[in-house]
Amino acid sequence: MANISSPSADAILTWYDRNARDLPWRVPPHDSRAGVLPDPYHVWLSEVMLQQTTVAAVTRYFLDFTGRWPRVQDLAAAEDEAVMGAWAGLGYYARARNLLKCARIVSRDLDGRFPDTEAELLKLPGIGPYTAAAIAAIAFGRQAVVLDGNIERVMARVFRVEAPLPGSKEELRGLARGLTPVERAGDYAQAVMDLGATICTPRSPACGICPWMESCEGRLAGVAETLPRKSPKAVKPVRFGVAYLGIGPEGAVALETRPESGLLGGMLGLPGTEWREDVPEDVHPLEADWREVPGEVRHTFTHFHLRLKVLVGRLDALPGDRLRFYPGDDDLPERLPTVMRKALRLGLSAVEDGFVERA
């Protein structure tokens, strides 16, 4: 379009210098301009946590992790169960398993130092193209092209890309590459992220205070808020399952550590059936007088909705070593993934109502 100025990295960096969000893993722009780089461990940890999760939700977890495990070597030496418990509530639990694998490789094989190039970062567990680019740019100042959801939205609007995602992703990446500067590449990436999070928001963008206002083809065409367009999502199937809440001596709860592979791998949880698209038959994991509690647990994963029945029963002992009794105190829910936390609370509420007697 005629008479439209091109967006520039300088304009958004000037805006970022005045408006950068204060985040615990970030080096402020005045320090960054002086050559201070953030701790690569902090950048990596925050970026893994931020996948599919909001900044508001991640901040508490980041501070907890760095308080308990201040260096990557400390995280590498941690017990799996402690880390998985600390991760509970963040979701997407394969990230936590890969977090530990990556920390142990960096600590054991790389002398506690993260690689400083995208190619080498991509060799580590749980680090994909976006995370590798973000670490390379933010932690090491590399001219890497960072493309998250916020940056995709900004690029689609500024350049009026009307082709829907995910098909337009590579076009958006090319446009982002053309704007990424050699100097302050990390600050630039964080500036565009902040722009998308605070001004160029999904709904009701604040175009009047945007540093790229005069360059935004989407705004000038009156279609900015409709971009990026997205292909219709497939309808998620519903799966069904049963969770068993076994109440032991002194109110202890019987839990298992789930297999490493699959959803919620390596996490503590209630024993139960497989999750299937047809209603499974009850396959009791232990001998007990199991009773189904009123209501059900509903939870949504990335690819399906889950509906769980919860059965409760009294247990005097546990056979074998697959299950362990855990104290049924106020801290227990915090050690469980969200869906298991819901099932525990539904079952315990029935116990409190006298549905099954405590030992």
Side-chain angles (χ1 to χ4, degrees):
M1 295 178 67
N3 301 321
I4 297 180
S5 61
S6 298
S8 73
D10 287 344
I12 198 168
L13 283 168
T14 299
W15 172 85
Y16 178 71
D17 288 344
R18 298 174 184 150
N19 299 283
R21 289 180 292 176
D22 182 14
L23 302 175
W25 49 84
R26 177 179 284 180
V27 168
H30 62 273
D31 289 336
S32 177
R33 293 197 308 273
V36 178
L37 291 174
D39 184 340
Y41 170 57
H42 288 181
V43 177
W44 164 74
L45 182 61
S46 65
E47 289 297 339
V48 173
M49 288 181 168
L50 284 164
Q51 295 166 18
Q52 308 293 330
T53 315
T54 65
V55 167
V58 162
T59 299
R60 175 175 68 86
Y61 285 89
F62 175 84
L63 293 173
D64 178 49
F65 265 69
T66 53
R68 296 172 68 176
W69 304 296
R71 303 175 306 149
V72 69
Q73 294 94 330
D74 301 317
L75 182 60
E79 296 289 338
D80 287 33
E81 186 176 305
V83 174
M84 300 303 284
W87 188 272
L90 270 176
Y92 301 89
Y93 293 97
R95 293 183 296 164
R97 298 196 299 274
N98 284 326
L99 193 80
L100 272 170
K101 291 176 184 176
C102 183
R104 287 165 182 166
I105 289 172
V106 171
S107 179
R108 181 188 66 233
D109 300 340
L110 302 177
D111 197 28
R113 297 184 176 89
F114 282 85
D116 63 358
T117 66
E118 291 177 84
E120 292 301 311
L121 287 162
L122 281 168
K123 296 177 182 179
L124 295 172
I127 295 184
Y130 162 75
T131 306
I135 297 170
I138 297 169
F140 298 107
R142 298 283 188 179
Q143 189 187 19
V145 180
V146 182
L147 194 70
D148 71 348
N150 281 320
I151 297 176
E152 286 177 347
R153 182 167 61 257
V154 172
M155 294 298 116
R157 289 173 175 176
V158 168
F159 293 100
R160 194 182 168 186
V161 177
E162 300 194 42
L165 285 165
S168 61
K169 183 179 282 285
E170 287 311 307
E171 180 182 359
L172 298 175
R173 189 184 305 280
L175 293 167
R177 181 177 294 109
L179 286 175
T180 303
V182 175
E183 300 294 329
R184 299 189 67 190
D187 279 352
Y188 166 80
Q190 293 174 106
V192 186
M193 292 177 193
D194 280 11
L195 187 74
T198 63
I199 290 179
C200 196
T201 51
R203 288 173 292 279
S204 302
C207 297
I209 57 172
C210 177
W212 279 343
M213 176 179 64
E214 299 299 332
S215 306
C216 182
E217 294 187 25
R219 181 189 72 85
L220 293 169
V223 298
E225 194 169 355
T226 72
L227 302 175
R229 304 209 170 119
K230 296 182 181 180
S231 300
K233 291 183 179 180
V235 176
K236 291 183 180 181
V238 178
R239 296 183 186 174
F240 301 87
V242 181
Y244 296 92
L245 174 59
I247 303 296
E250 299 181 1
V253 174
L255 298 176
E256 66 177 358
T257 299
R258 295 173 64 86
E260 285 294 320
S261 60
L263 276 174
L264 311 184
M267 299 293 294
L268 282 177
L270 301 178
T273 64
E274 293 182 356
W275 301 341
R276 302 174 3 186
E277 292 189 21
D278 57 330
V279 179
E281 296 182 5
D282 293 353
V283 182
H284 300 158
L286 297 165
E287 291 297 325
D289 180 19
W290 296 107
R291 302 179 64 192
E292 183 178 344
V293 306
E296 67 177 1
V297 170
R298 296 193 176 197
H299 190 76
T300 296
F301 291 97
T302 306
H303 301 299
F304 65 93
H305 302 292
L306 177 65
R307 296 171 63 176
L308 282 180
K309 294 192 301 184
V310 178
L311 276 63
V312 299
R314 275 261 291 111
L315 301 173
D316 295 321
L318 297 175
D321 56 6
R322 186 173 66 86
L323 296 171
R324 288 175 52 196
F325 278 132
Y326 290 79
D329 53 28
D330 292 341
D331 293 333
L332 182 59
E334 299 305 317
R335 304 175 66 182
L336 303 179
T338 303
V339 64
M340 291 298 172
R341 194 180 303 172
K342 292 177 181 178
L344 175 70
R345 285 175 171 157
L346 179 62
L348 287 180
S349 67
V351 172
E352 294 296 335
D353 291 340
F355 195 77
V356 64
E357 293 182 2
R358 287 181 180 266

